[in-house]
Amino acid sequence: GENVEQHPSTLSVQEGDSAVIKCTYSDSASNYFPWYKQELGKRPQLIIDIRSNVGEKKDQRIAVTLNKTAKHFSLHITETQPEDSAVYFCAARETYGGATNKLIFGTGTLLAVQP
Amino acid sequence: GAVVSQHPSRVICKSGTSVKIECRSLDFQATTMFWYRQFPKQSLMLMATSNEGSKATYEQGVEKDKFLINHASLTLSTLTVTSAHPEDSSFYICSASLLLASERDTQYFGPGTRLTVL
C-alpha cells in the first residue's frame, strides 16, 4: 500500500519569510495529492491539491510542486503571516487494490510563524 | 459549498455505554464517507471507508464490532462506538467525497467529535 513521509515535523519562520514542507510517497500510481491545514481542535481544511498530470499549481501565496519521477511533492507558502500557523498535512490517494479514493496522510508539520 | 457537519461536537460518557456520532454532507451528495481517529499531536488515522448502501470497509486493526458504521443515505453516515472504554477517548473526524466523477477523490472534513470516556 501507499506510504507517505513528511518533513519537517516542526518549522518555525519569521513573518514574511517563506516556508516549505516536503512529502514523499511510495506508490508510483498515485495521482492525487492534497494538502490540508488544521488549526488546534478544528477540522482539516483543504488548502490546495494537485493531480499527477501537472507539475505545479499556485493559489495566491500557496503553491504545490510535484515531481513524479522522484515521487515527492512540496508545499510552498510565501510571505508567511501569523495566521498561517497551524499543522499542515500532505496526503496521497492510494490506488493499490483498484477502485479506491482512500487518502494516506503524512505525519504533519507544525508551522509556527513568529511575528 | 462542500460543507460537512458532525454531531455531537463533544461527548462525555461513562465506561460501558455506546455513543453514536453523525456525519452529514449538507450541500452535496457524498459517494463515500470516511471515518478517522486522531490522537493529540498526531496524524489522521483512517478507521473505515463507508459507501452508501453497502458494508463499511475497515482498516487493519480496527474492530468492526466495536466501531459500527451505518451509511443509510448519500448524505448521512453514523459511527457508533459500542461499549466505550477510556482508551476509546479520542477526536473522531469524518470526511466525505463528492459524487461528481471529476472530484471524486477530494475529501471534505467534518468539524470532529471529541469523545471522552470516564
Side-chain angles (χ1 to χ4, degrees):
Chain A
E2 177 68 276
N3 182 51
V4 177
E5 295 190 358
Q6 183 171 347
H7 299 280
S9 56
T10 60
L11 179 59
S12 181
V13 299
Q14 289 294 127
E15 182 177 358
D17 288 349
S18 295
V20 181
I21 302 170
K22 299 181 179 180
C23 288
T24 60
Y25 61 98
S26 59
D27 182 2
S28 57
S30 288
N31 57 10
Y32 174 66
F33 307 92
W35 285 89
Y36 288 87
K37 174 185 180 183
Q38 186 179 29
E39 296 176 7
L40 188 63
K42 302 283 182 65
R43 77 181 82 198
Q45 297 267 22
L46 178 70
I47 57 171
I48 196 166
D49 56 14
I50 191 167
R51 299 179 192 275
S52 58
N53 56 347
V54 298
E56 184 174 359
K57 185 176 177 181
K58 192 173 180 180
D59 182 4
Q60 299 183 345
R61 296 187 297 109
I62 295 172
V64 57
T65 58
L66 172 64
N67 183 325
K68 287 192 295 183
T69 303
K71 289 188 284 187
H72 67 69
F73 56 113
S74 300
L75 178 71
H76 304 253
I77 306 175
T78 58
E79 301 171 32
T80 54
Q81 301 166 2
E83 51 265 39
D84 294 329
S85 297
V87 178
Y88 291 81
F89 292 100
C90 64
R93 176 177 176 267
E94 185 176 84
T95 59
Y96 178 78
T100 174
N101 53 351
K102 189 165 74 170
L103 293 178
I104 305 301
F105 284 83
T107 48
T109 297
L110 175 61
L111 173 64
V113 180
Q114 309 297 333
Chain B
V3 177
V4 178
S5 72
Q6 214 173 313
H7 179 80
S9 57
R10 242 176 233 282
V11 59
I12 300 173
C13 68
K14 292 183 179 179
S15 187
T17 59
S18 293
V19 175
K20 181 187 280 190
I21 303 169
E22 290 187 350
C23 178
R24 293 182 186 272
S25 56
L26 297 185
D27 54 356
F28 67 99
Q29 291 184 319
T31 320
T32 307
M33 289 185 170
F34 302 85
W35 287 96
Y36 295 84
R37 186 172 178 176
Q38 188 176 35
F39 292 104
K41 298 185 180 180
Q42 292 193 22
S43 188
L44 297 151
M45 185 192 83
L46 180 65
M47 300 174 66
T49 302
S50 168
N51 289 294
E52 183 259 342
S54 61
K55 289 184 180 179
T57 302
Y58 289 82
E59 294 301 300
Q60 193 172 7
V62 178
E63 299 175 56
K64 62 179 182 181
D65 295 329
K66 171 77 172 172
F67 299 100
L68 299 178
I69 292 173
N70 183 272
H71 195 153
S73 75
L74 285 172
T75 58
L76 173 64
S77 176
T78 60
L79 167 68
T80 301
V81 182
T82 62
S83 188
H85 291 285
E87 56 266 30
D88 298 324
S89 299
S90 190
F91 193 51
Y92 291 87
I93 313 179
C94 71
S95 72
S97 61
L98 293 170
L99 191 58
L100 294 173
S102 61
E103 295 184 36
R104 194 182 288 265
D105 40 21
T106 303
Q107 289 186 29
Y108 297 92
F109 283 84
T113 297
R114 174 77 56 195
L115 171 63
T116 303
V117 185
L118 302 176

